[in-house]
């Protein structure tokens, strides 16, 4: 099979690429990514040694590039991770979120209709359900929870989900959607809570905690997310939505304190700063459907996953220091000048 992974140079997409390369050595994996600030060519460079991997620099909003991708690579499956993903950036500048997350999704699906596809999978988020109150720990998001978004980011992701369902119903597009809770693990861009706090703590800088720090997120180790998507591709029912999450709820402040303890740093580094606008209070996924229907269960407990993640950032300083210095942006250009193996359309 030819599997196109859009956004495969980002956090979860790159973890999915490595997951597939291990799990499906006989499939061809094509990473299609336009390398925004969040895309990192250095992340996928080790994969270039694999004969069944190809990197293609391209934009999901560009119809011609996408058509060329489909003509040359003949995908059987498209897994769409490509997105603008940071809530704070969507509050500062919604425009690009609408373009990439909504228009980009429709451009990809139009190509799927034109060229034919076995499966289109949309990687969505639990943020499409809005938030839950802190004083109702009995409440969880199910697939039946109404869409109720808070930020331009989550509104753009919910819009994309509606388009996917519309393409399935109107054109018979063989599509599935997954809605996952907060991921953490290797290659997480250091603007998001966990990697940002690790990097700042290591530098002895203040750790900015929004509001009262009591907002709750439901953390899932990224490999468990990858395994869930792979299972949906294998056994998921067309036209269905699957929630993904592992009952690992933590208040932000507790996550930050865990990181500080693990790195031997003091809590005086914590800096409570003004809250994010429209800040969602609590996310919590009910994963009963994917567990009961497909047999998915998360393997990594939060304590183990966070230790592994912190160790990864300690062992891979070059990766994030290159991001902080901006050096990572030059990796693709160097490759394009022939210094490294690469491929493009
Ligand atoms: P990320 O920001 O780390 O990576 C996004 C990738 O998409 C980058 O490599 C970027 O270059 C690429 N991209 C952006 N615009 C593009 C375009 N127009 N054309 C081609 N490529 C483009 O994001 P992430 O955290 O890995 O999230 C991946 C997906 O998973 C997103 O759709 C996000 O909504 C969803 N998701 C994320 C989480 C999470 O906790 N991070 C949880 C649930 C769902
Ligand atoms: O739930 C899934 C979503 O998780 C994904 O769809 C998004 O793409 C992903 O970015 C993530 O969104 P969050 O907004 O939950 O993640 P973020 O890491 O930005 O923030 C996590 C929590 O930490 C949130 O309550 C805000 C808070 N926070 C974040 C940052 C960056 C802080 O307190 N300080 C910070 O500096």
């Amino acid at each position: 099979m030819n599997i196109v992974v859009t956004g495969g140079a980002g956090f979860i997409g790159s973890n999915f690429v490595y997951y597939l390369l291990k799990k499906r050595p006989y499939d061809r994996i094509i990473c299609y990514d336009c390398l925004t600030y969040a895309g990192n060519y250095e992340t996928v460079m080790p994969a270039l040694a694999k004969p069944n991997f190809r990197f293609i620099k391209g934009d999901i909003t560009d119809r011609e590039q996408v058509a060329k991708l489909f003509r040359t690579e003949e995908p059987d499956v498209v897994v769409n991770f490509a997105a603008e993903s940071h809530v704070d950036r969507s509050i500062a500048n919604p425009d690009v979120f609408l373009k990439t997350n909504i228009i980009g999704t429709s451009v990809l699906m139009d190509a799927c209709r034109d060229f034919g596809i076995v499966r289109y999978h949309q990687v969505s988020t639990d943020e499409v359900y809005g938030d839950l109150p802190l004083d109702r720990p009995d409440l969880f998001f199910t697939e039946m929870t109404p869409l109720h978004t808070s930020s331009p980011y989550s509104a753009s992701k919910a819009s994309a989900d509606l388009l996917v369902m519309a393409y399935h119903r109107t054109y018979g597009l063989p599509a599935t959607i997954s809605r996952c809770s907060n991921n953490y693990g290797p290659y997480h861009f250091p603007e998001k809570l966990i990697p940002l706090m690790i990097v700042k703590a290591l530098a002895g800088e203040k750790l900015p905690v929004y509001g009262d720090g009591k907002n709750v997120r439901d953390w899932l180790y990224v490999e468990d997310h990858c395994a869930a998507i792979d299972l949906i591709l294998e056994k998921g029912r067309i036209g269905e939505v699957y929630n993904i999450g592992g009952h690992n709820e933590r208040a932000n402040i507790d996550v930050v304190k865990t990181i500080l303890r693990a790195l031997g740093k003091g809590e005086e580094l914590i800096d409570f700063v003004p809250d994010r606008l429209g800040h969602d209070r609590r996310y919590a996924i009910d994963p009963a459907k994917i567990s009961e229907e497909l047999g998915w269960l998360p393997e990594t407990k939060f304590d183990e996953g966070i230790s592994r993640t912190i160790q990864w950032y300690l062992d891979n300083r070059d990766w994030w220091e290159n991001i902080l210095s901006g050096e990572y942006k030059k990796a693709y250009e160097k490759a394009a000048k022939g210094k490294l193996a690469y491929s493009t359309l």
Side-chain angles (χ1 to χ4, degrees):
M1 276 212 302
N2 296 331
I3 306 177
V4 164
V5 180
T6 66
F11 165 45
I12 310 176
S14 62
N15 277 280
F16 190 65
V17 162
Y18 286 113
Y19 183 91
L20 288 184
L21 286 172
K22 226 187 278 169
K23 171 100 190 292
R24 298 171 178 255
Y26 303 110
D27 287 337
R28 286 183 65 243
I29 315 301
I30 302 108
C31 170
Y32 183 80
D33 197 303
C34 71
L35 299 178
T36 66
Y37 80 94
N40 189 341
Y41 189 67
E42 291 184 347
T43 300
V44 292
M45 269 163 45
L48 294 168
K50 299 271 185 189
N52 59 331
F53 175 78
R54 192 165 183 217
F55 177 82
I56 294 175
K57 185 168 186 289
D59 192 323
I60 62 164
T61 68
D62 184 324
R63 281 189 190 276
E64 280 188 15
Q65 279 182 358
V66 169
K68 210 165 168 192
L69 166 76
F70 274 68
R71 268 197 302 276
T72 54
E73 302 302 328
E74 300 180 339
D76 302 293
V77 172
V78 171
V79 184
N80 182 24
F81 290 92
E84 288 295 332
S85 69
H86 192 38
V87 173
D88 293 329
R89 287 180 188 256
S90 83
I91 294 166
N93 178 20
D95 222 36
V96 66
F97 283 73
L98 310 190
K99 186 170 182 220
T100 297
N101 299 0
I102 306 174
I103 305 295
T105 298
S106 73
V107 169
L108 272 180
M109 292 193 299
D110 283 340
C112 290
R113 291 169 53 215
D114 289 346
F115 291 86
I117 196 92
V118 176
R119 177 73 69 85
Y120 174 85
H121 182 75
Q122 177 74 2
V123 181
S124 185
T125 169
D126 61 356
E127 294 201 18
V128 299
Y129 300 122
D131 64 352
L132 297 163
L134 284 183
D135 60 358
R136 289 293 307 274
D138 55 315
L139 296 180
F140 297 92
F141 297 136
T142 74
E143 290 78 0
M144 303 306 288
T145 303
L147 302 187
H148 184 80
T149 56
S150 311
S151 70
Y153 163 70
S154 56
S156 70
K157 292 296 288 184
S159 305
D161 284 12
L162 292 174
L163 272 177
V164 175
M165 296 315 289
Y167 273 57
H168 167 63
R169 173 149 177 171
T170 304
Y171 308 117
L173 185 80
T176 42
I177 297 176
S178 55
R179 295 181 180 146
C180 190
S181 59
N182 285 63
N183 284 216
Y184 67 105
Y187 302 119
H188 204 178
F189 197 84
E191 66 180 348
K192 308 281 171 68
L193 181 76
I194 288 182
L196 182 74
M197 298 299 153
I198 296 174
V199 164
K200 286 204 173 286
L202 285 173
E205 289 173 15
K206 290 282 186 193
L207 275 49
V209 174
Y210 298 163
D212 59 11
K214 289 186 183 150
N215 301 61
V216 167
R217 295 294 182 266
D218 186 358
W219 294 99
L220 185 73
Y221 193 64
V222 63
E223 222 172 82
D224 281 324
H225 186 184
C226 295
I229 293 173
D230 188 45
L231 203 57
I232 295 169
L233 293 181
E234 263 178 35
K235 298 204 247 166
R237 284 184 294 136
I238 301 292
E240 291 292 317
V241 173
Y242 293 92
N243 282 356
I244 307 173
H247 289 302
N248 268 314
E249 286 178 56
R250 294 284 187 289
N252 293 339
I253 190 65
D254 295 332
V255 172
V256 170
K257 286 181 182 171
T258 301
I259 292 169
L260 285 172
R261 259 197 314 279
L263 292 173
K265 305 282 181 177
E267 290 182 14
E268 68 283 356
L269 288 181
I270 295 172
D271 185 16
F272 289 98
V273 298
D275 212 352
R276 172 185 279 174
L277 298 178
H279 198 174
D280 282 336
R281 230 19 192 159
R282 169 177 170 248
Y283 301 147
I285 283 276
D286 175 356
K289 179 174 174 180
I290 190 168
S291 301
E292 285 160 21
E293 246 185 52
L294 308 185
W296 176 84
L297 282 174
E299 286 187 357
T300 309
K301 294 266 178 293
F302 185 75
D303 291 348
E304 182 198 336
I306 194 75
S307 306
R308 236 195 266 169
T309 302
I310 292 169
Q311 193 56 49
W312 188 88
Y313 280 83
L314 288 168
D315 294 342
N316 292 275
R317 270 180 174 272
D318 284 358
W319 182 84
W320 55 265
E321 282 177 352
N322 280 353
I323 291 176
L324 298 187
S325 69
E327 193 62 26
Y328 77 112
K329 289 190 182 144
K330 297 183 191 153
Y332 184 78
E333 284 160 34
K334 281 188 203 157
K337 281 188 194 133
K339 292 191 182 125
L340 293 163
Y342 86 109
S343 47
T344 187
L345 282 176

